[in-house]
Amino acid sequence: MISIAIANTYVPVSRPVRGLCEQLSAAGRTCAFFYNWEELRDLSRPSSLACSFYVSGSVCGYERANEMVTESALSYIAGEKPDFAFVYLGCTDEVGHAHGWMSDEYYHACSQSLDEVGRLVECFGKPARGRAPKSKYM
């Protein structure tokens, strides 16, 4: 019988694989991470990030942590212009687990997170007239 367990706990792979940030760093590109869920620190290996900003959503509250992540990302990306930036806003995930998907609290968290994403897109998402956008958003 085969038993499989899935968890959000970091487990190193038996054969390390170079991830996106490692590949970009090796190519001379700069990467930055902005997040409020600590487990995401394991997505990149040491020395592959030019900037890593983490604030604990469980300590200061995820709504405030989302705002702090956005502020840090806005400031760093505008000033340093990294080639790749990862921004994670954990409020919707945390509230979904605590109050349930599609609950009133969840809708509020989605709205707040969308406001933060809107701030990022407003700042970096407008290409010059007649030019294709340089940045891609997921």
Side-chain angles (χ1 to χ4, degrees), residues 42-112:
D42 297 321
L43 289 179
S44 64
R45 297 179 72 188
S47 300
S48 64
L49 298 176
C51 174
S52 178
F53 176 83
Y54 165 74
V55 60
S56 175
S58 61
V59 171
C60 66
Y62 277 91
E63 199 165 315
R64 177 67 185 124
N66 273 7
E67 294 166 355
M68 295 169 72
V69 164
T70 302
E71 286 297 324
S72 181
L74 285 168
S75 175
Y76 184 84
I77 296 168
E80 301 300 321
K81 299 178 180 26
D83 296 298
F84 172 78
F86 173 84
V87 179
Y88 177 83
L89 305 172
C91 189
T92 53
D93 185 44
E94 182 64 23
V95 170
H97 285 289
H99 299 281
W101 182 66
M102 305 300 277
S103 65
D104 288 342
E105 294 89 350
Y106 182 78
Y107 278 123
H108 175 78
C110 289
S111 178
Q112 188 269 345

Side-chain angles (χ1 to χ4, degrees), residues 2-9 11:
I2 297 175
S3 177
I4 299 173
I6 298 175
N8 284 337
T9 307
V11 178

Side-chain angles (χ1 to χ4, degrees), residues 8-10 35 37-43 54:
N8 284 337
T9 307
Y10 172 74
Y35 57 104
W37 185 46
E38 192 171 13
E39 286 80 350
L40 294 177
R41 72 182 180 278
D42 297 321
L43 289 179
Y54 165 74

